[in-house]
Amino acid sequence: MVFQKRMESGSIGYKIPKKPRFPRSARGKPSPPKKVEVSQMRPFDLLATVAEELLLAKKKSCRLLYEAEETTSTINKIKKEQFDTGSSLKSDVFDQGSCDESSFVARFVSRGQVTFNFEEHLSSPEERTAASTLALVKCHVSEKNAFIGIHNLEDPVDLDAKSTALVSSDSGVEIPPIGGHHSAGGSSFSSVRGDIELLVNKDDDENSSGRTHGSNMYARAFKPHCTGDGRVRKLTKSKYWKPSREAMDYGELWNDDEEIKPVFRSRKLCYTRQRTKRSSFKRSKLFEGSTFSSSNGGFRSKAVSDPFVKDCMKLDYIGTHADLSNAHGRSGSTTGHTPSYEPVENHVKLSIKSFRVPELFIEIPANATIGSLKRTVMEAVTAILSGGLHVGVHLKGKKIKDDNKTILQAGISDTDKLDNLGFTLEPNLSRIQHHNSCISDPEPLTKIHSTLAPAIDIGTFNAVISASDCTESDHDSVHSPTNPSTIDKMANNSKALVPILALNPVALAAVPLSNSKASEIVQRRIRRPFSVPEVEALVLAVEKLGTGRWRDVKLRAFENAKHRTYVDLKDKWKTLVHTARISPQQRRGEPVPQELLDRVLSAHAYWSRQQAKSARLAERCHRPV
DNA sequence: CTTAGGG
DNA sequence: CCCTAAG
């Protein structure tokens, strides 16, 4: 493979070979379109599908950068996030830390524009700078529509071939090639409603409701193979930092495209990649476990010949029948699970400006470095955020428990009451506690250090939110999603809300999680110099047991010092011997009594002789002459 | 998982 | 302390 050769030669200025492309034959006459069901997909699923098809056709894995611009202010926070994608584009994106499936979809559904930039997947920074863009996917999102345009920077001519990748098998209507000569009812942005009705009429959602096409599809695509854990095992450092069993089981997720992936010679690079794999799996796992709700609408793809979005596919977000009836009978008591999509005038806009963390209690050894403190805090926060966090909605201090209530029914849409609205982020108890059981570090032997395991007290988070009743018509925002005036207007209308007091603050203990983004940065254990009593215990044990039985030494003298591994003890002995041999002036750290050092030397000499002796004995046994 | 050694 | 090759 071209990649492999390139990489093994160690080239840094890596250029993408201009080889794999869509088959030329696909150009003139569209190749048989691949059947991908999209009718039940939500906006991002569809996008992911487009992307995946794109990638499959390209036979490359890639890195996805997305940039979102929205008329709401919240989106700015996720501007320019980036994701590494293996073969699993979707799961990677969905489970990326704070940007999980639901939140991403929520963002995506709201009006605006999201640009997805697919780059070839390369592992090292140097290579990434040289990465080229495989494709650019622009999504214009309105209330009920997503317009997705794929722009191939490498080879614009290939647009035709790509567009045929998406087909709604449900309706049997194929998506004509982008830019093809078709009117498709002459739909445009301004005739959105008509499109929806037309498509709903054709829809047979009743038959397919509850199906989770997207989920199934990706579950298949991303199912880990679990072919042994040999390579992943190497990730395990000391047992106190070992990844979760989940991560170990992850196996060879990326093996599918192994052959087209660069093989790195450098150990460092390999290691980095393996870590990425590990996290990738976890995200994938999370996705598989997540409930994928498709009950709130479906998608239909059809071609559009709108002058504004020429060369774009148009994807109409179709509400279910219930949605439509809701929209018509707004005042009626609708209790369906499906959110109702109402005219823009009736939308309630909330913008959560920040979440406050009332208290974050962290316990860490005094001799820990600032860097490790930072990491601990980071991991703790990430653990909370990426863990089972759920949102509580409070109105006038009362928690709204019924998830099925509409905004309207809850009274939130009433502008006057927005002042009393609050959101809380509530950590999931079971999840964090579960992880807490992984690490504990009692230290009876050395009382010097305090407990390693950081404990974090978490109250519920209070959200300081602002809300604005946006009454202006936003139809134009489809065409100009980044209209600055809109943003300004919202900013001016917004007013701070009184945060609701947290209910039932819970004290939790959290530990560095392995399923968070932060855990990908494998932390070096903090340095913990041996105390003199420890050295003494070590010397005593070695005098008794010798220098080749570090496990026994550990068991004998450091049984309760969980942070001292037998490797540590062996290393310490090594440095002790060295220390004993150098002049006292050259020694650093807490001075070790000369008496001990002398014992180190004699013990070392003695056991060295013993070792040599037994070696000679063994030699004679095997080769007696 | 342990040992032994280089980094 | 880390990382690995070997056993």
Side-chain angles (χ1 to χ4, degrees):
Chain A
M1 203 68 201
V2 191
F3 292 168
Q4 194 160 326
K5 281 222 173 104
R6 290 270 202 148
M7 291 318 298
E8 283 183 349
S9 66
S11 80
I12 295 293
Y14 179 62
K15 287 284 193 305
I16 296 174
K18 293 274 181 184
K19 252 314 212 17
R21 277 298 150 66
F22 283 90
R24 293 276 159 192
S25 59
R27 293 248 180 110
K29 44 179 181 157
S31 57
K34 191 164 178 173
K35 296 280 179 190
V36 177
E37 194 156 24
V38 296
S39 66
Q40 287 291 307
M41 290 181 163
R42 294 194 286 178
F44 188 73
D45 303 321
L46 193 51
L47 171 76
T49 306
V50 173
E52 194 183 51
E53 291 302 322
L54 190 67
L55 299 186
L56 285 178
K58 288 278 185 182
K59 288 274 183 279
K60 289 174 183 175
S61 72
C62 81
R63 184 168 72 128
L64 167 62
L65 298 160
Y66 81 78
E67 184 161 349
E69 296 171 347
E70 285 212 350
T71 52
T72 61
S73 58
T74 51
I75 199 73
N76 294 330
K77 292 172 189 164
I78 62 164
K79 229 177 164 182
K80 276 203 172 155
E81 292 210 40
Q82 66 178 52
F83 307 101
D84 285 331
T85 75
S87 55
S88 56
L89 169 76
K90 183 191 168 101
S91 59
D92 267 350
V93 173
F94 274 1
D95 295 322
Q96 180 78 23
S98 59
C99 190
D100 62 15
E101 174 194 345
S102 54
S103 71
F104 190 90
V105 172
R107 288 161 174 156
F108 192 71
V109 165
S110 51
R111 287 181 299 279
Q113 173 173 315
V114 187
T115 304
F116 295 81
N117 180 23
F118 295 89
E119 288 183 352
E120 183 171 11
H121 182 275
L122 298 167
S123 290
S124 79
E126 305 94 288
E127 289 151 6
R128 276 181 182 171
T129 59
S132 9
T133 294
L134 296 177
L136 211 57
V137 178
K138 283 198 175 179
C139 306
H140 302 265
V141 188
S142 66
E143 296 303 317
K144 300 188 178 183
N145 306 279
F147 302 89
I148 296 188
I150 302 177
H151 309 272
N152 186 336
L153 299 188
E154 277 184 307
D155 193 354
V157 192
D158 277 338
L159 272 171
D160 282 8
K162 247 164 301 181
S163 67
T164 59
L166 262 188
V167 169
S168 169
S169 64
D170 213 358
S171 62
V173 177
E174 295 182 0
I175 303 169
I178 292 172
H181 307 290
H182 46 75
S183 57
S187 52
S188 66
F189 284 80
S190 53
S191 62
V192 157
R193 295 264 151 77
D195 286 336
I196 291 172
E197 293 203 349
L198 173 71
L199 291 164
V200 167
N201 287 339
K202 283 196 209 170
D203 202 6
D204 51 356
D205 268 348
E206 280 107 337
N207 303 333
S208 57
S209 66
R211 276 186 289 168
T212 54
H213 299 300
S215 182
N216 289 339
M217 186 173 68
Y218 286 97
R220 165 187 53 76
F222 304 140
K223 190 178 172 193
H225 290 194
C226 293
T227 57
D229 59 355
R231 285 165 53 189
V232 183
R233 214 189 111 264
K234 291 174 190 163
L235 289 171
T236 307
K237 313 188 80 181
S238 82
K239 68 171 101 177
Y240 315 111
W241 292 86
K242 87 168 111 188
S244 68
R245 185 65 210 162
E246 275 183 348
M248 307 271 288
D249 281 340
Y250 140 71
E252 304 289 337
L253 178 63
W254 280 15
N255 249 15
D256 282 337
D257 52 359
E258 193 81 328
E259 58 191 24
I260 61 168
K261 280 183 157 314
V263 174
F264 295 106
R265 213 164 227 172
S266 158
R267 255 195 244 147
K268 291 282 184 211
L269 283 177
C270 278
Y271 190 67
T272 305
R273 210 184 97 208
Q274 285 176 336
R275 286 205 296 254
T276 310
K277 286 167 73 174
R278 181 180 60 181
S279 65
S280 175
F281 166 68
K282 257 171 294 183
R283 282 175 271 176
S284 177
K285 258 293 208 231
L286 279 174
F287 176 73
E288 282 178 43
S290 70
T291 319
F292 199 87
S293 162
S294 63
S295 61
N296 56 346
F299 265 87
R300 263 306 138 67
S301 315
K302 68 198 296 263
V304 60
S305 59
D306 185 279
F308 179 76
V309 273
K310 66 175 167 53
D311 296 332
C312 287
M313 264 183 283
K314 178 176 178 179
L315 310 160
D316 288 335
Y317 184 15
I318 310 166
T320 61
H321 292 288
D323 291 343
L324 286 181
S325 56
N326 280 358
H328 288 307
R330 224 176 299 136
S331 54
S333 58
T334 53
T335 52
H337 286 57
T338 54
S340 66
Y341 294 91
E342 315 235 346
V344 177
E345 307 86 85
N346 293 316
H347 279 228
V348 180
K349 295 203 170 178
L350 307 171
S351 117
I352 299 173
K353 296 214 159 157
S354 68
F355 281 100
R356 233 165 9 123
V357 183
E359 192 175 12
L360 191 65
F361 178 69
I362 291 185
E363 190 181 324
I364 193 166
N367 60 357
T369 62
I370 296 298
S372 83
L373 174 62
K374 283 179 180 173
R375 283 189 294 269
T376 304
V377 174
M378 182 62 194
E379 283 169 354
V381 172
T382 311
I384 298 163
L385 291 179
S386 66
L389 205 59
H390 54 95
V391 174
V393 180
H394 302 259
L395 193 62
K396 292 182 187 168
K398 222 178 111 191
K399 188 166 184 174
I400 303 174
K401 283 182 179 170
D402 188 359
D403 287 349
N404 297 328
K405 261 189 192 169
T406 67
I407 309 289
L408 204 68
Q409 287 165 343
I412 295 177
S413 58
D414 189 341
T415 325
D416 300 336
K417 291 174 185 166
L418 285 176
D419 286 339
N420 297 316
L421 182 64
F423 294 96
T424 54
L425 293 182
E426 293 154 11
N428 190 326
L429 283 170
S430 58
R431 207 167 148 163
I432 297 178
Q433 277 171 348
H434 166 75
H435 283 283
N436 180 44
S437 61
C438 301
I439 299 180
S440 66
D441 189 12
E443 268 188 283
L445 182 71
T446 55
K447 304 248 170 17
I448 300 164
H449 313 294
S450 53
T451 316
L452 171 65
I456 296 150
D457 285 339
I458 313 159
T460 47
F461 294 70
N462 287 334
V464 182
I465 70 170
S466 67
S468 62
D469 196 10
C470 218
T471 53
E472 81 264 31
S473 174
D474 275 344
H475 293 300
D476 286 345
S477 65
V478 174
H479 297 273
S480 53
T482 56
N483 186 352
S485 67
T486 314
I487 298 171
D488 290 342
K489 205 177 281 184
M490 285 199 56
N492 291 335
N493 288 348
S494 68
K495 48 190 171 184
L497 292 191
V498 181
I500 304 297
L501 281 179
L503 304 177
N504 307 325
V506 260
L508 301 173
V511 297
L513 277 185
S514 54
N515 72 339
S516 65
K517 197 176 172 182
S519 67
E520 286 178 31
I521 303 145
V522 177
Q523 201 183 148
R524 189 187 175 102
R525 291 157 67 210
I526 54 172
R527 187 172 169 274
R528 302 172 121 177
F530 277 70
S531 62
V532 173
E534 281 182 299
V535 171
E536 186 164 3
L538 177 60
V539 170
L540 209 58
V542 173
E543 283 173 338
K544 194 85 177 178
L545 300 171
T547 54
R549 301 165 60 189
W550 298 110
R551 185 176 168 275
D552 293 333
V553 171
K554 154 77 178 170
L555 259 37
R556 184 189 180 91
F558 292 82
E559 171 80 81
N560 295 318
K562 299 293 183 203
H563 62 289
R564 303 292 190 205
T565 70
Y566 46 74
V567 176
D568 292 334
L569 302 180
K570 185 251 324 173
D571 285 343
K572 180 55 185 174
W573 185 260
K574 182 172 67 178
T575 60
L576 273 177
V577 172
H578 179 252
T579 303
R581 285 170 174 167
I582 62 179
S583 68
Q585 295 81 37
Q586 301 178 66
R587 295 170 191 163
R588 292 180 302 178
E590 188 181 6
V592 179
Q594 187 60 40
E595 179 259 344
L596 276 178
L597 292 177
D598 291 340
R599 286 167 65 189
V600 166
L601 280 184
S602 60
H604 185 258
Y606 172 78
W607 286 108
S608 294
R609 257 179 277 126
Q610 291 300 310
Q611 217 160 35
K613 207 178 286 180
S614 56
R616 279 196 302 274
L617 210 69
E619 182 87 352
R620 226 170 293 157
C621 283
H622 281 287
R623 199 162 37 85
V625 168

PDB file of all heavy atoms in Angstrom, chain A residues 186-212:
ATOM      1  N   GLY A 186     -39.638  21.869  -7.889  1.00  0.00           N
ATOM      2  CA  GLY A 186     -39.183  23.248  -7.800  1.00  0.00           C
ATOM      3  C   GLY A 186     -39.105  23.744  -6.371  1.00  0.00           C
ATOM      4  O   GLY A 186     -39.341  24.896  -6.086  1.00  0.00           O
ATOM      5  N   SER A 187     -38.797  22.882  -5.486  1.00  0.00           N
ATOM      6  CA  SER A 187     -38.773  23.287  -4.089  1.00  0.00           C
ATOM      7  C   SER A 187     -37.642  24.257  -3.819  1.00  0.00           C
ATOM      8  O   SER A 187     -36.582  24.208  -4.416  1.00  0.00           O
ATOM      9  CB  SER A 187     -38.617  22.059  -3.204  1.00  0.00           C
ATOM     10  OG  SER A 187     -37.510  21.318  -3.643  1.00  0.00           O
ATOM     11  N   SER A 188     -37.894  25.096  -2.924  1.00  0.00           N
ATOM     12  CA  SER A 188     -36.872  26.049  -2.528  1.00  0.00           C
ATOM     13  C   SER A 188     -37.050  26.315  -1.059  1.00  0.00           C
ATOM     14  O   SER A 188     -37.915  25.757  -0.411  1.00  0.00           O
ATOM     15  CB  SER A 188     -37.027  27.349  -3.323  1.00  0.00           C
ATOM     16  OG  SER A 188     -38.229  27.965  -2.973  1.00  0.00           O
ATOM     17  N   PHE A 189     -36.231  27.154  -0.548  1.00  0.00           N
ATOM     18  CA  PHE A 189     -36.295  27.420   0.878  1.00  0.00           C
ATOM     19  C   PHE A 189     -37.633  28.017   1.279  1.00  0.00           C
ATOM     20  O   PHE A 189     -38.116  27.799   2.360  1.00  0.00           O
ATOM     21  CB  PHE A 189     -35.185  28.387   1.285  1.00  0.00           C
ATOM     22  CG  PHE A 189     -33.871  27.717   1.354  1.00  0.00           C
ATOM     23  CD1 PHE A 189     -33.134  27.474   0.219  1.00  0.00           C
ATOM     24  CD2 PHE A 189     -33.386  27.291   2.562  1.00  0.00           C
ATOM     25  CE1 PHE A 189     -31.930  26.844   0.304  1.00  0.00           C
ATOM     26  CE2 PHE A 189     -32.173  26.666   2.646  1.00  0.00           C
ATOM     27  CZ  PHE A 189     -31.435  26.440   1.509  1.00  0.00           C
ATOM     28  N   SER A 190     -38.195  28.767   0.406  1.00  0.00           N
ATOM     29  CA  SER A 190     -39.424  29.445   0.784  1.00  0.00           C
ATOM     30  C   SER A 190     -40.637  28.535   0.690  1.00  0.00           C
ATOM     31  O   SER A 190     -41.707  28.871   1.157  1.00  0.00           O
ATOM     32  CB  SER A 190     -39.629  30.672  -0.109  1.00  0.00           C
ATOM     33  OG  SER A 190     -39.557  30.282  -1.454  1.00  0.00           O
ATOM     34  N   SER A 191     -40.472  27.411   0.086  1.00  0.00           N
ATOM     35  CA  SER A 191     -41.629  26.525  -0.029  1.00  0.00           C
ATOM     36  C   SER A 191     -41.446  25.277   0.808  1.00  0.00           C
ATOM     37  O   SER A 191     -41.831  24.181   0.439  1.00  0.00           O
ATOM     38  CB  SER A 191     -41.860  26.143  -1.484  1.00  0.00           C
ATOM     39  OG  SER A 191     -40.739  25.441  -1.960  1.00  0.00           O
ATOM     40  N   VAL A 192     -40.882  25.495   1.921  1.00  0.00           N
ATOM     41  CA  VAL A 192     -40.542  24.375   2.782  1.00  0.00           C
ATOM     42  C   VAL A 192     -41.776  23.622   3.250  1.00  0.00           C
ATOM     43  O   VAL A 192     -41.838  22.420   3.252  1.00  0.00           O
ATOM     44  CB  VAL A 192     -39.751  24.896   3.998  1.00  0.00           C
ATOM     45  CG1 VAL A 192     -39.853  23.945   5.151  1.00  0.00           C
ATOM     46  CG2 VAL A 192     -38.312  25.117   3.597  1.00  0.00           C
ATOM     47  N   ARG A 193     -42.733  24.329   3.636  1.00  0.00           N
ATOM     48  CA  ARG A 193     -43.935  23.698   4.189  1.00  0.00           C
ATOM     49  C   ARG A 193     -44.546  22.727   3.188  1.00  0.00           C
ATOM     50  O   ARG A 193     -44.935  21.645   3.526  1.00  0.00           O
ATOM     51  CB  ARG A 193     -44.964  24.768   4.559  1.00  0.00           C
ATOM     52  CG  ARG A 193     -44.490  25.657   5.669  1.00  0.00           C
ATOM     53  CD  ARG A 193     -45.024  25.164   7.016  1.00  0.00           C
ATOM     54  NE  ARG A 193     -44.134  25.507   8.097  1.00  0.00           N
ATOM     55  CZ  ARG A 193     -44.046  26.721   8.636  1.00  0.00           C
ATOM     56  NH1 ARG A 193     -44.798  27.687   8.197  1.00  0.00           N
ATOM     57  NH2 ARG A 193     -43.211  26.954   9.601  1.00  0.00           N
ATOM     58  N   GLY A 194     -44.627  23.203   1.997  1.00  0.00           N
ATOM     59  CA  GLY A 194     -45.210  22.347   0.975  1.00  0.00           C
ATOM     60  C   GLY A 194     -44.457  21.050   0.850  1.00  0.00           C
ATOM     61  O   GLY A 194     -45.052  19.986   0.754  1.00  0.00           O
ATOM     62  N   ASP A 195     -43.170  21.137   0.903  1.00  0.00           N
ATOM     63  CA  ASP A 195     -42.374  19.932   0.794  1.00  0.00           C
ATOM     64  C   ASP A 195     -42.677  18.964   1.909  1.00  0.00           C
ATOM     65  O   ASP A 195     -42.801  17.775   1.712  1.00  0.00           O
ATOM     66  CB  ASP A 195     -40.889  20.298   0.825  1.00  0.00           C
ATOM     67  CG  ASP A 195     -40.481  20.926  -0.476  1.00  0.00           C
ATOM     68  OD1 ASP A 195     -41.155  20.658  -1.487  1.00  0.00           O
ATOM     69  OD2 ASP A 195     -39.518  21.675  -0.479  1.00  0.00           O
ATOM     70  N   ILE A 196     -42.804  19.514   3.040  1.00  0.00           N
ATOM     71  CA  ILE A 196     -43.057  18.638   4.176  1.00  0.00           C
ATOM     72  C   ILE A 196     -44.371  17.893   4.006  1.00  0.00           C
ATOM     73  O   ILE A 196     -44.442  16.700   4.170  1.00  0.00           O
ATOM     74  CB  ILE A 196     -43.101  19.451   5.473  1.00  0.00           C
ATOM     75  CG1 ILE A 196     -41.709  19.971   5.783  1.00  0.00           C
ATOM     76  CG2 ILE A 196     -43.606  18.615   6.622  1.00  0.00           C
ATOM     77  CD1 ILE A 196     -41.672  20.923   6.921  1.00  0.00           C
ATOM     78  N   GLU A 197     -45.366  18.620   3.639  1.00  0.00           N
ATOM     79  CA  GLU A 197     -46.661  17.970   3.523  1.00  0.00           C
ATOM     80  C   GLU A 197     -46.625  16.914   2.428  1.00  0.00           C
ATOM     81  O   GLU A 197     -47.123  15.823   2.604  1.00  0.00           O
ATOM     82  CB  GLU A 197     -47.737  19.012   3.236  1.00  0.00           C
ATOM     83  CG  GLU A 197     -47.919  19.931   4.436  1.00  0.00           C
ATOM     84  CD  GLU A 197     -49.272  20.558   4.418  1.00  0.00           C
ATOM     85  OE1 GLU A 197     -49.967  20.439   3.403  1.00  0.00           O
ATOM     86  OE2 GLU A 197     -49.638  21.168   5.415  1.00  0.00           O
ATOM     87  N   LEU A 198     -46.041  17.272   1.391  1.00  0.00           N
ATOM     88  CA  LEU A 198     -45.962  16.328   0.288  1.00  0.00           C
ATOM     89  C   LEU A 198     -45.277  15.045   0.736  1.00  0.00           C
ATOM     90  O   LEU A 198     -45.743  13.948   0.484  1.00  0.00           O
ATOM     91  CB  LEU A 198     -45.193  16.961  -0.868  1.00  0.00           C
ATOM     92  CG  LEU A 198     -44.883  16.046  -2.028  1.00  0.00           C
ATOM     93  CD1 LEU A 198     -46.150  15.734  -2.771  1.00  0.00           C
ATOM     94  CD2 LEU A 198     -43.855  16.682  -2.927  1.00  0.00           C
ATOM     95  N   LEU A 199     -44.205  15.215   1.449  1.00  0.00           N
ATOM     96  CA  LEU A 199     -43.448  14.044   1.838  1.00  0.00           C
ATOM     97  C   LEU A 199     -44.140  13.252   2.921  1.00  0.00           C
ATOM     98  O   LEU A 199     -44.086  12.043   2.946  1.00  0.00           O
ATOM     99  CB  LEU A 199     -42.061  14.481   2.301  1.00  0.00           C
ATOM    100  CG  LEU A 199     -41.211  15.001   1.164  1.00  0.00           C
ATOM    101  CD1 LEU A 199     -40.036  15.754   1.695  1.00  0.00           C
ATOM    102  CD2 LEU A 199     -40.781  13.845   0.284  1.00  0.00           C
ATOM    103  N   VAL A 200     -44.784  13.949   3.776  1.00  0.00           N
ATOM    104  CA  VAL A 200     -45.497  13.239   4.828  1.00  0.00           C
ATOM    105  C   VAL A 200     -46.590  12.377   4.241  1.00  0.00           C
ATOM    106  O   VAL A 200     -46.837  11.274   4.680  1.00  0.00           O
ATOM    107  CB  VAL A 200     -46.090  14.241   5.842  1.00  0.00           C
ATOM    108  CG1 VAL A 200     -47.083  13.548   6.746  1.00  0.00           C
ATOM    109  CG2 VAL A 200     -44.979  14.847   6.660  1.00  0.00           C
ATOM    110  N   ASN A 201     -47.216  12.867   3.239  1.00  0.00           N
ATOM    111  CA  ASN A 201     -48.254  12.077   2.601  1.00  0.00           C
ATOM    112  C   ASN A 201     -47.700  10.762   2.073  1.00  0.00           C
ATOM    113  O   ASN A 201     -48.348   9.746   2.098  1.00  0.00           O
ATOM    114  CB  ASN A 201     -48.880  12.858   1.434  1.00  0.00           C
ATOM    115  CG  ASN A 201     -49.764  13.963   1.965  1.00  0.00           C
ATOM    116  OD1 ASN A 201     -50.203  13.914   3.117  1.00  0.00           O
ATOM    117  ND2 ASN A 201     -50.015  14.959   1.143  1.00  0.00           N
ATOM    118  N   LYS A 202     -46.529  10.827   1.600  1.00  0.00           N
ATOM    119  CA  LYS A 202     -45.935   9.610   1.064  1.00  0.00           C
ATOM    120  C   LYS A 202     -45.399   8.718   2.168  1.00  0.00           C
ATOM    121  O   LYS A 202     -45.074   7.573   1.952  1.00  0.00           O
ATOM    122  CB  LYS A 202     -44.759   9.966   0.157  1.00  0.00           C
ATOM    123  CG  LYS A 202     -45.159  10.472  -1.200  1.00  0.00           C
ATOM    124  CD  LYS A 202     -43.921  10.387  -2.044  1.00  0.00           C
ATOM    125  CE  LYS A 202     -43.915  11.433  -3.115  1.00  0.00           C
ATOM    126  NZ  LYS A 202     -42.607  11.478  -3.753  1.00  0.00           N
ATOM    127  N   ASP A 203     -45.292   9.290   3.301  1.00  0.00           N
ATOM    128  CA  ASP A 203     -44.573   8.587   4.366  1.00  0.00           C
ATOM    129  C   ASP A 203     -45.371   7.419   4.904  1.00  0.00           C
ATOM    130  O   ASP A 203     -46.584   7.428   4.936  1.00  0.00           O
ATOM    131  CB  ASP A 203     -44.282   9.561   5.503  1.00  0.00           C
ATOM    132  CG  ASP A 203     -43.137   9.074   6.336  1.00  0.00           C
ATOM    133  OD1 ASP A 203     -42.529   8.066   5.947  1.00  0.00           O
ATOM    134  OD2 ASP A 203     -42.866   9.706   7.358  1.00  0.00           O
ATOM    135  N   ASP A 204     -44.678   6.430   5.316  1.00  0.00           N
ATOM    136  CA  ASP A 204     -45.328   5.319   6.004  1.00  0.00           C
ATOM    137  C   ASP A 204     -44.662   5.119   7.356  1.00  0.00           C
ATOM    138  O   ASP A 204     -44.222   4.061   7.711  1.00  0.00           O
ATOM    139  CB  ASP A 204     -45.254   4.043   5.182  1.00  0.00           C
ATOM    140  CG  ASP A 204     -43.841   3.753   4.737  1.00  0.00           C
ATOM    141  OD1 ASP A 204     -42.959   4.596   5.015  1.00  0.00           O
ATOM    142  OD2 ASP A 204     -43.626   2.719   4.153  1.00  0.00           O
ATOM    143  N   ASP A 205     -44.622   6.196   8.045  1.00  0.00           N
ATOM    144  CA  ASP A 205     -43.899   6.183   9.314  1.00  0.00           C
ATOM    145  C   ASP A 205     -44.501   5.229  10.326  1.00  0.00           C
ATOM    146  O   ASP A 205     -43.819   4.720  11.198  1.00  0.00           O
ATOM    147  CB  ASP A 205     -43.860   7.601   9.915  1.00  0.00           C
ATOM    148  CG  ASP A 205     -42.618   8.316   9.465  1.00  0.00           C
ATOM    149  OD1 ASP A 205     -41.734   7.629   8.897  1.00  0.00           O
ATOM    150  OD2 ASP A 205     -42.529   9.511   9.662  1.00  0.00           O
ATOM    151  N   GLU A 206     -45.788   5.012  10.216  1.00  0.00           N
ATOM    152  CA  GLU A 206     -46.406   4.116  11.196  1.00  0.00           C
ATOM    153  C   GLU A 206     -45.744   2.751  11.159  1.00  0.00           C
ATOM    154  O   GLU A 206     -45.548   2.110  12.169  1.00  0.00           O
ATOM    155  CB  GLU A 206     -47.900   3.956  10.910  1.00  0.00           C
ATOM    156  CG  GLU A 206     -48.732   5.095  11.406  1.00  0.00           C
ATOM    157  CD  GLU A 206     -49.213   5.950  10.258  1.00  0.00           C
ATOM    158  OE1 GLU A 206     -48.576   5.922   9.195  1.00  0.00           O
ATOM    159  OE2 GLU A 206     -50.221   6.631  10.421  1.00  0.00           O
ATOM    160  N   ASN A 207     -45.414   2.352   9.971  1.00  0.00           N
ATOM    161  CA  ASN A 207     -44.823   1.035   9.837  1.00  0.00           C
ATOM    162  C   ASN A 207     -43.403   0.998  10.368  1.00  0.00           C
ATOM    163  O   ASN A 207     -42.934  -0.015  10.828  1.00  0.00           O
ATOM    164  CB  ASN A 207     -44.804   0.619   8.355  1.00  0.00           C
ATOM    165  CG  ASN A 207     -46.188   0.638   7.779  1.00  0.00           C
ATOM    166  OD1 ASN A 207     -47.148   0.457   8.507  1.00  0.00           O
ATOM    167  ND2 ASN A 207     -46.277   0.874   6.490  1.00  0.00           N
ATOM    168  N   SER A 208     -42.799   2.096  10.286  1.00  0.00           N
ATOM    169  CA  SER A 208     -41.378   2.085  10.605  1.00  0.00           C
ATOM    170  C   SER A 208     -41.070   2.788  11.912  1.00  0.00           C
ATOM    171  O   SER A 208     -39.934   2.870  12.294  1.00  0.00           O
ATOM    172  CB  SER A 208     -40.592   2.756   9.487  1.00  0.00           C
ATOM    173  OG  SER A 208     -41.070   4.062   9.299  1.00  0.00           O
ATOM    174  N   SER A 209     -42.070   3.272  12.578  1.00  0.00           N
ATOM    175  CA  SER A 209     -41.777   3.998  13.810  1.00  0.00           C
ATOM    176  C   SER A 209     -41.148   3.045  14.807  1.00  0.00           C
ATOM    177  O   SER A 209     -41.546   1.904  14.951  1.00  0.00           O
ATOM    178  CB  SER A 209     -43.065   4.580  14.390  1.00  0.00           C
ATOM    179  OG  SER A 209     -43.911   3.532  14.789  1.00  0.00           O
ATOM    180  N   GLY A 210     -40.182   3.584  15.505  1.00  0.00           N
ATOM    181  CA  GLY A 210     -39.492   2.747  16.468  1.00  0.00           C
ATOM    182  C   GLY A 210     -38.268   2.085  15.897  1.00  0.00           C
ATOM    183  O   GLY A 210     -37.396   1.666  16.618  1.00  0.00           O
ATOM    184  N   ARG A 211     -38.230   2.021  14.627  1.00  0.00           N
ATOM    185  CA  ARG A 211     -37.012   1.484  14.038  1.00  0.00           C
ATOM    186  C   ARG A 211     -35.882   2.467  14.224  1.00  0.00           C
ATOM    187  O   ARG A 211     -36.077   3.673  14.184  1.00  0.00           O
ATOM    188  CB  ARG A 211     -37.207   1.216  12.552  1.00  0.00           C
ATOM    189  CG  ARG A 211     -37.852  -0.124  12.299  1.00  0.00           C
ATOM    190  CD  ARG A 211     -37.876  -0.382  10.833  1.00  0.00           C
ATOM    191  NE  ARG A 211     -38.810   0.468  10.138  1.00  0.00           N
ATOM    192  CZ  ARG A 211     -38.830   0.567   8.819  1.00  0.00           C
ATOM    193  NH1 ARG A 211     -37.975  -0.089   8.091  1.00  0.00           N
ATOM    194  NH2 ARG A 211     -39.713   1.349   8.232  1.00  0.00           N
ATOM    195  N   THR A 212     -34.761   1.945  14.351  1.00  0.00           N
ATOM    196  CA  THR A 212     -33.619   2.829  14.538  1.00  0.00           C
ATOM    197  C   THR A 212     -32.586   2.498  13.497  1.00  0.00           C
ATOM    198  O   THR A 212     -31.582   1.870  13.753  1.00  0.00           O
ATOM    199  CB  THR A 212     -33.015   2.651  15.933  1.00  0.00           C
ATOM    200  OG1 THR A 212     -32.718   1.276  16.110  1.00  0.00           O
ATOM    201  CG2 THR A 212     -33.990   3.093  16.995  1.00  0.00           C
TER     202      THR A 212
END
